[in-house]
Amino acid sequence: MMKLSSWGWNSYKSNGTSCRTAIPARASDAPPSGHGARAAQAPSIASAALPHAAWRALLSVLAALLLCSAPLSAAAASGTAAAPPEAPSGGPAQRQPAAGTADGAEEEPHSWLLKWRDPALAKPLRGTRVIHRQAEPAAVDVVRPADPGADTEEWLRRLRETPGVEYVHPNSRVTLLAAQTTNDPELPKQHYLDQIGAKTAWSTVHDQTNFTIALVDTGVDLDHPDLKDNLVPGTNLVAPGKPPEDDNGHGTSVAGVLAGEGDNGAGISGILWKAKIMPIKALDAGGYGDEERLGDAILYAVKNGARIVVLSVGLYRYSPYLEDIAIYAESKGVLLVAASGNDGLVLGTKAEVKYPAAYPSVLAVAGATPNNKPEPRSNPGSEIDIAAPWNVYTTAVGGGYKKEQGTSMAAPQAAAAAALIWAVHPEYKPYQVRELLRQSAKDIGSAGVDEATGYGLLQVDRAVTATLKIDAYEPNNTREYAKKFPLGTKITGDLRGGGDKDWYIVDAPYDGFLSLQFQGIVASGQAIPPVRMIHYAGDQSKSTKDTKLGNQTVEWKVKKGRNYIQLQLYDKRNKTQLPYLLTTSFRNSPDVYETNDKQYQAFTLMPRTQTLTGNFHQTGDRDWYVVHFENGGTLRVTATPSSVRIDPAIGIQRKGGKLMETDENGEGETEISQEITITPGTYYIRVHNAISSQASPTPAQYVLKMEYRTKYSDPNEPNNKMYEATVIGLGSDYFGVINKKSDLDWYQLRLDSRSIVTLTVKSIPSGVRMKAELYDKRQKLLATLKSERNRTVMMREQLLDPGVYYVKVTADIPFDRQYYELRMDADKVVSGMRDIDGHWAESPIVQLSSLGIIGGSGSYRFNPDRSITRAEAVSMLARTLSPAAAKAGPMSFTDVKTGHWANASIMRSVRSGWVGGYVDGTFKPDQPITREEMAVILSRAWELREVRPTRSPFGDVDQKRWSSAALNTMKLKNWVSGYQGNRFMPEETASRAEFAAVLQRALGSSSKDG
């Protein structure tokens, strides 16, 4: 989303009526209505009380007095002819035909000036009426024919032939040299109009109704009396289907600066008196919108006939989408005018021109103070074209008026000036209008083009009267006369044959790559001669590029600082004149830590406090760094950008751990990570531009500061009391120090189920003996661990019921140069076993345990995934089926002694025919049984009627295999199943879990199958 800035605005208009000195011959010559009617109001009142002849005499006396003594404005007010009609929409005022004449022919004067060579020769003249006689400094009579219907040409011929007459000259109308004004009552508050020469420009042109001007903003007050007659239908992209009504106020103020109706006797006057303003609402009531909607707004304006689009909105993130639209608009003959931004003071050196103003094809407008100085709150940058007043007085929502400020108010001033240029020069292209605004600007900043005001302060009067120079950078034929070419701008030039050279200066902010787009301007079908461009660094020619296409971009690797570019026709004998457009762009070289875009490419840093400088030279650039810490401590990372076009984000990650990201602040602001406690090991640091997910390359840098302190602080303090105990979770590592002998570290653990808890303390410093004591919630001591001298680990397991427990850690010697690590793990005890919770065979194991068939070992383990031995298998079976006791007699197996734990079960199983021994007289009680042996033993124990298979029961069990009948029978009973692909893996050993599961299924079936 983007927030519009409160940038600058203003506008107003005059009535177009020239003050005249002509004097009507009679009352009927006075205009009957309009401004002239108001001027002649006093004589009209007098005429009601005077005879006609007396009125004519009085009028003559008044006219004579006015001619000699009254100011011209008063003379015009007392007796002017009908005001000339307004110029056609968009046409210059001076091209209007004179009032009362056909096709603009010169109006016949109402009186003449007759000079006598000698006052003594003055005498009455036949057919001539003397209106006034002037004796000094010469004898001059103001005369007119006595008979209004007389032949003027014949009368003048007679006067000129009269002896003693030196000349007879028409008493022509005189126009005030002061700027033209309007009758808008708030006009005196619009001081900025004088600052930019708007009033003077109105004497040339003040309307533009030949085309539409789109205003992309928060909408416009559609019923404002000073705006409604200058509006044409627009659109609402925020709430489609609704009118583009302004619910914020910003758009209405911009509209007033641009084209508040002038000379309508109300409010203020825009720079354009008459215009066609298309309101496009792309921002909501809070002044927010997005790139897509802004792009849609510009496209809507272009497709609906706008020639100028005013954009007092912006964002710091470069958008290739919006730049494509800006280029498209210019290709369609549309000029985009945008405000630069209002964060100059807030951001200081980090301030940049906002987009879309920063795109080369957009006219970027900065702000200026009332005393013609660069406005410090205005965003500076090389992309600035011109400046306009920051402070204005303009229209407000609800039909009112108010003071406003910002570059939002400056942009519409430039847009209005562009509209007036097009009124005078309708054939111009957008780049020509942009160039004429630059050429006619008044230099108010540093000499020449500068980053605060561009080419200078907008001067509307110069813009509408000046002649466009094809190449305003001449003379620049030599290096000494090279002209500055700001980055991110588009300029026009002209090569006048092969002997002409154009030199430019381009200042690179960093080491990087300078791109120049060359566009030759020729008539359709005309070939463009090749152009050679040479890059110089200092006095040395570094590289030469030849352009052979009408539109071609070349790139040079450049060093930070001043670079020179020379252009000339490739063929020095060529006499062709070639106008051209030239556009600059720049991107940084990769920083010295590249390539480090991936974690596995991370650049290795030493484990110490340090500062480094990097950049984001490519789209979506991520910079990874890695540090291996031999000792623990604390780490804080800071990232400071040089430009508001970078929104830095920091990520810190311990190898194998989770990335902890810090992105709390906004564009141009410093990010500071939390101080984290680190332990010996490897850590990664990542920095990227979070202004967008795939941020574009930015000609700026960031400074990364890594602060590493080896003084260890306990991250869990305060935890010196039982009630301050640090709550810990199972399976996590906790770090601490014992920084003094009296230091106690308390931890709290909550158990939800009966569990075997393992308490481990490790990383015990050499020479230190530590102790950990386990308490229940009643502070009853349950267990104590003590480390042995020079042992770094101590551990203890304890069976605990659900509840809250505490651990107190102490040491005989304080230490703070190393962390100890504490960890508690728990195994839930299910049916007396700690290793079956969540196991796939948990249910059958629990059921067999409840029947007393199986149980855990002394360590509460069942070991479900361990292979089951022959002794274990027959023991489970014996407990399940309780075969007859073995009769006393000599031992049958040499490896099963009388005291063997499974002796009785083995003897009963053998006598029952479930299992047998080996030919060597052994039973091999500890030998694992295979899966097929498991099936055969269980089949015999259950005395199953085995069915010989007619085909293999499993893909890896042949039907003739010794175990196939048992496996086939058990498969049919669903006691056993195979693996994927119908495999049984008969020779694989059976696990204790598998044997228990099959045994439980057998129990669930009928007790005997016989």
Side-chain angles (χ1 to χ4, degrees):
M1 301 294 286
M2 59 191 160
K3 182 74 170 69
L4 66 83
S5 305
S6 212
W7 310 349
W9 345 356
N10 48 6
S11 70
Y12 75 70
K13 122 189 174 185
S14 79
N15 59 24
T17 305
S18 300
C19 298
R20 311 288 184 178
T21 59
I23 303 167
R26 54 188 182 276
S28 59
D29 291 330
S33 61
H35 304 300
R38 288 195 292 272
Q41 187 172 8
S44 297
I45 295 172
S47 67
L50 292 174
H52 185 66
W55 161 241
R56 291 185 62 185
L58 178 60
L59 182 60
S60 297
V61 173
L62 286 172
L65 290 172
L66 288 168
L67 242 171
C68 9
S69 60
L72 289 177
S73 58
S78 66
T80 184
E86 290 191 9
S89 298
Q94 74 269 28
R95 297 179 182 174
Q96 304 171 62
T101 65
D103 301 323
E106 185 177 352
E107 183 181 1
E108 184 176 282
H110 291 165
S111 59
W112 284 258
L113 301 174
L114 183 152
K115 180 182 179 182
W116 298 96
R117 289 190 178 91
D118 188 335
L121 299 176
K123 61 183 179 180
L125 298 171
R126 181 172 59 86
T128 299
R129 179 179 176 185
V130 178
I131 300 172
H132 173 68
R133 174 161 290 168
Q134 176 183 299
E136 293 180 353
V140 177
D141 292 341
V142 181
V143 299
R144 64 182 303 162
D147 180 2
D151 184 340
T152 304
E153 291 299 321
E154 177 60 26
W155 174 73
L156 287 171
R157 185 188 61 77
R158 290 200 312 269
L159 290 183
R160 289 171 179 145
E161 292 178 352
T162 300
V165 173
E166 183 173 334
Y167 61 76
V168 182
H169 186 73
N171 187 16
S172 301
R173 294 182 179 183
V174 178
T175 302
L176 287 172
L177 296 179
Q180 195 163 350
T181 187
T182 73
N183 62 3
D184 300 292
E186 302 286 357
L187 186 64
K189 297 180 181 179
Q190 296 181 269
H191 305 294
Y192 60 93
L193 295 175
D194 297 302
Q195 193 177 350
I196 61 174
K199 294 179 181 178
T200 304
W202 290 341
S203 298
T204 302
V205 61
H206 46 62
D207 297 342
Q208 176 54 279
T209 57
N210 287 337
F211 58 69
T212 298
I213 302 172
L215 175 57
V216 177
D217 216 288
T218 59
V220 172
D221 182 349
L222 304 178
D223 297 316
H224 198 292
D226 243 354
L227 297 174
K228 61 183 181 179
D229 291 339
N230 277 348
L231 298 178
V232 297
T235 190
N236 188 330
L237 300 179
V238 176
K242 293 184 178 181
E245 196 70 61
D246 190 357
D247 51 8
N248 174 279
H250 188 267
T252 298
S253 295
V254 175
V257 175
L258 178 68
E261 186 177 1
D263 204 34
N264 63 346
I268 55 96
S269 178
I271 297 175
L272 298 174
W273 295 4
K274 300 289 184 184
K276 293 179 179 179
I277 306 302
M278 176 194 295
I280 301 178
K281 182 173 177 59
L283 306 178
D284 60 22
Y288 288 95
D290 55 38
E291 292 176 42
E292 180 185 13
R293 196 187 298 155
L294 180 57
D296 288 345
I298 298 171
L299 291 175
Y300 180 92
V302 174
K303 293 174 183 177
N304 286 274
R307 289 292 303 280
I308 297 174
V309 180
V310 185
L311 300 159
S312 289
V313 300
L315 68 163
Y316 286 115
R317 180 176 66 254
Y318 168 82
S319 168
Y321 164 75
L322 287 179
E323 183 170 30
D324 287 345
I325 290 177
I327 294 171
Y328 169 79
E330 185 174 47
S331 74
K332 295 298 182 181
V334 179
L335 177 66
L336 304 187
V337 182
S340 70
N342 304 331
D343 301 324
L345 282 180
V346 175
L347 296 173
T349 58
K350 297 179 182 179
E352 303 273 6
V353 177
K354 284 194 168 186
Y355 297 103
Y359 298 127
S361 60
V362 178
L363 184 73
V365 187
T369 65
N371 60 346
N372 290 352
K373 300 293 183 183
E375 169 56 60
R377 290 170 289 182
S378 176
N379 286 18
S382 61
E383 303 92 343
I384 295 294
D385 290 299
I386 57 173
W390 173 275
N391 300 95
V392 302
Y393 188 76
T394 185
T395 47
V397 168
Y401 304 89
K402 65 176 180 178
K403 293 180 180 179
E404 265 295 357
Q405 62 180 13
T407 55
S408 283
M409 306 302 119
Q413 298 175 55
L420 294 179
I421 290 174
W422 254 318
V424 179
H425 304 285
E427 74 283 2
Y428 275 9
K429 303 291 185 185
Y431 75 85
Q432 292 174 304
V433 174
R434 184 170 57 242
E435 189 61 35
L436 185 52
L437 287 170
R438 292 170 175 169
Q439 292 179 16
S440 58
K442 177 182 180 181
D443 194 356
I444 62 171
S446 302
V449 62
D450 63 75
E451 293 193 352
T453 61
Y455 290 83
L457 179 67
L458 173 68
Q459 297 294 281
V460 187
D461 52 341
R462 294 184 188 177
V464 298
T465 57
T467 300
L468 177 67
K469 298 176 183 178
I470 297 178
D471 190 346
Y473 299 92
E474 290 287 357
N476 64 339
N477 296 330
T478 64
R479 175 191 172 92
E480 290 71 25
Y481 287 95
K483 294 300 190 296
K484 187 174 181 180
F485 185 1
L487 284 175
T489 64
K490 179 183 289 188
I491 64 171
T492 62
D494 183 40
L495 289 173
R496 297 179 177 270
D500 190 12
K501 297 178 181 179
D502 285 353
W503 283 80
Y504 297 100
I505 296 170
V506 181
D507 292 323
Y510 307 100
D511 291 354
F513 298 89
L514 173 66
S515 295
L516 265 71
Q517 181 188 17
F518 180 88
Q519 296 171 269
I521 305 173
V522 296
S524 178
Q526 181 181 345
I528 296 179
V531 174
R532 170 156 290 182
M533 294 190 283
I534 307 174
H535 166 232
Y536 287 84
D539 296 328
Q540 300 296 317
S541 170
K542 292 296 184 181
S543 177
T544 299
K545 307 279 188 178
D546 294 331
T547 65
K548 299 179 181 180
L549 302 175
N551 187 337
Q552 186 172 341
T553 300
V554 300
E555 184 177 77
W556 288 289
K557 188 172 184 179
V558 298
K559 289 291 186 180
K560 177 181 178 180
R562 180 142 295 186
N563 293 269
Y564 292 87
I565 306 297
Q566 177 198 306
L567 273 68
Q568 66 181 112
L569 295 183
Y570 179 82
D571 184 357
K572 297 180 181 179
R573 299 166 298 175
N574 196 320
K575 303 299 183 182
T576 303
Q577 180 178 352
L578 179 61
Y580 60 85
L581 296 173
L582 205 58
T583 307
T584 54
S585 61
F586 177 84
R587 61 184 177 90
N588 282 358
S589 293
D591 59 50
V592 296
Y593 307 101
E594 292 287 350
T595 302
N596 61 341
D597 305 309
K598 305 292 184 182
Q599 189 179 68
Y600 66 83
Q601 299 172 320
F603 185 90
T604 301
L605 300 176
M606 296 298 294
R608 56 180 173 78
T609 295
Q610 58 194 292
T611 299
L612 59 89
T613 301
N615 64 48
F616 303 118
H617 72 287
Q618 61 187 356
T619 300
D621 197 3
R622 263 75 170 161
D623 287 351
W624 284 89
Y625 303 93
V626 62
V627 189
H628 183 75
F629 294 99
E630 296 291 341
N631 299 307
T634 60
L635 178 67
R636 174 179 282 124
V637 178
T638 303
T640 302
S642 66
S643 165
V644 71
R645 291 176 182 166
I646 294 179
D647 177 10
I650 303 168
I652 303 176
Q653 177 183 12
R654 182 178 171 88
K655 186 176 182 179
K658 183 179 179 181
L659 183 71
M660 300 176 292
E661 191 158 11
T662 302
D663 185 15
E664 301 294 332
N665 299 318
E667 299 156 341
E669 296 183 286
T670 296
E671 287 291 348
I672 304 175
S673 75
Q674 291 184 346
E675 185 176 75
I676 64 169
T677 299
I678 61 172
T679 57
T682 300
Y683 286 77
Y684 293 94
I685 299 172
R686 188 189 72 181
V687 188
H688 77 283
N689 187 1
I691 202 166
S692 67
S693 59
Q694 288 293 308
S696 298
T698 304
Q701 295 179 330
Y702 66 84
V703 174
L704 186 72
K705 183 177 182 181
M706 187 180 84
E707 296 177 88
Y708 168 56
R709 295 191 303 166
T710 56
K711 179 182 178 181
Y712 296 87
S713 58
D714 195 325
N716 302 306
E717 292 290 353
N719 64 345
N720 294 323
K721 306 291 184 181
M722 192 177 199
Y723 60 80
E724 297 175 326
T726 300
V727 178
I728 63 175
L730 294 169
S732 296
D733 294 322
Y734 295 85
F735 304 90
V737 295
I738 305 298
N739 52 25
K740 55 185 177 181
K741 194 166 185 177
S742 61
D743 190 13
L744 307 176
D745 286 354
W746 283 90
Y747 299 91
Q748 182 195 91
L749 173 69
R750 183 179 295 274
L751 279 179
D752 297 326
S753 60
R754 195 165 191 252
S755 304
I756 300 292
V757 175
T758 303
L759 171 61
T760 304
V761 178
K762 62 181 182 178
S763 298
I764 300 172
S766 177
V768 175
R769 298 188 67 177
M770 297 189 69
K771 181 169 70 172
E773 297 170 289
L774 178 65
Y775 295 85
D776 65 12
K777 64 181 181 180
R778 294 182 179 85
Q779 301 188 35
K780 178 183 178 182
L781 181 64
L782 302 179
T784 300
L785 290 83
K786 291 183 179 180
S787 67
E788 298 179 12
R789 182 70 64 183
N790 297 325
R791 294 293 298 271
T792 62
V793 179
M794 61 181 181
M795 182 176 67
R796 180 186 177 100
E797 291 186 344
Q798 187 80 16
L799 176 63
L800 297 175
D801 290 323
V804 176
Y805 297 90
Y806 295 88
V807 175
K808 181 176 73 173
V809 177
T810 57
D812 65 341
I813 300 173
F815 60 90
D816 62 1
R817 296 183 61 82
Q818 178 180 329
Y819 283 113
Y820 72 82
E821 298 179 41
L822 180 140
R823 179 186 179 99
M824 296 188 78
D825 298 283
D827 294 328
K828 183 179 178 181
V829 175
V830 178
S831 295
M833 292 166 276
R834 65 188 294 182
D835 55 357
I836 65 171
D837 181 41
H839 194 278
W840 67 267
E842 177 184 357
S843 178
I845 294 171
V846 169
Q847 291 185 43
L848 294 178
S849 176
S850 66
L851 295 173
I853 296 172
I854 61 175
S857 65
S859 60
Y860 299 94
R861 298 182 186 277
F862 179 70
N863 298 312
D865 298 319
R866 181 171 60 75
S867 298
I868 189 167
T869 65
R870 289 165 55 83
E872 290 171 335
V874 297
S875 294
M876 287 187 191
L877 277 175
R879 295 191 196 104
T880 303
L881 300 178
S882 302
K887 294 181 179 180
M891 287 296 302
S892 301
F893 305 108
T894 59
D895 55 351
V896 179
K897 304 300 182 183
T898 304
H900 191 279
W901 68 270
N903 178 57
S905 297
I906 292 172
M907 293 301 104
R908 290 176 180 180
S909 299
V910 171
R911 293 183 183 278
S912 298
W914 302 344
V915 293
Y918 293 92
V919 293
D920 61 355
T922 62
F923 183 77
K924 297 183 172 46
D926 298 324
Q927 177 175 297
I929 64 173
T930 65
R931 286 170 54 80
E932 65 182 344
E933 287 175 335
M934 171 184 69
V936 171
I937 291 172
L938 288 170
S939 176
R940 293 174 182 173
W942 252 260
E943 299 178 7
L944 298 180
R945 184 179 297 118
E946 296 181 352
V947 179
R948 177 65 58 180
T950 58
R951 58 180 181 176
S952 299
F954 295 98
D956 54 353
V957 177
D958 187 86
Q959 68 182 76
K960 296 180 180 181
R961 190 179 181 92
W962 71 273
S963 61
S964 63
L967 286 172
N968 183 58
T969 303
M970 296 185 77
K971 181 179 181 182
L972 292 174
K973 287 181 170 292
N974 292 320
W975 289 11
V976 296
S977 60
Y979 295 101
Q980 187 175 7
N982 193 32
R983 295 178 304 127
F984 186 74
M985 299 183 183
E987 296 178 0
E988 293 290 325
T989 59
S991 70
R992 288 168 56 83
E994 289 173 330
F995 192 89
V998 177
L999 183 59
Q1000 188 273 333
R1001 292 182 197 133
L1003 278 174
S1005 178
S1006 58
S1007 60
K1008 295 284 185 178
D1009 184 2

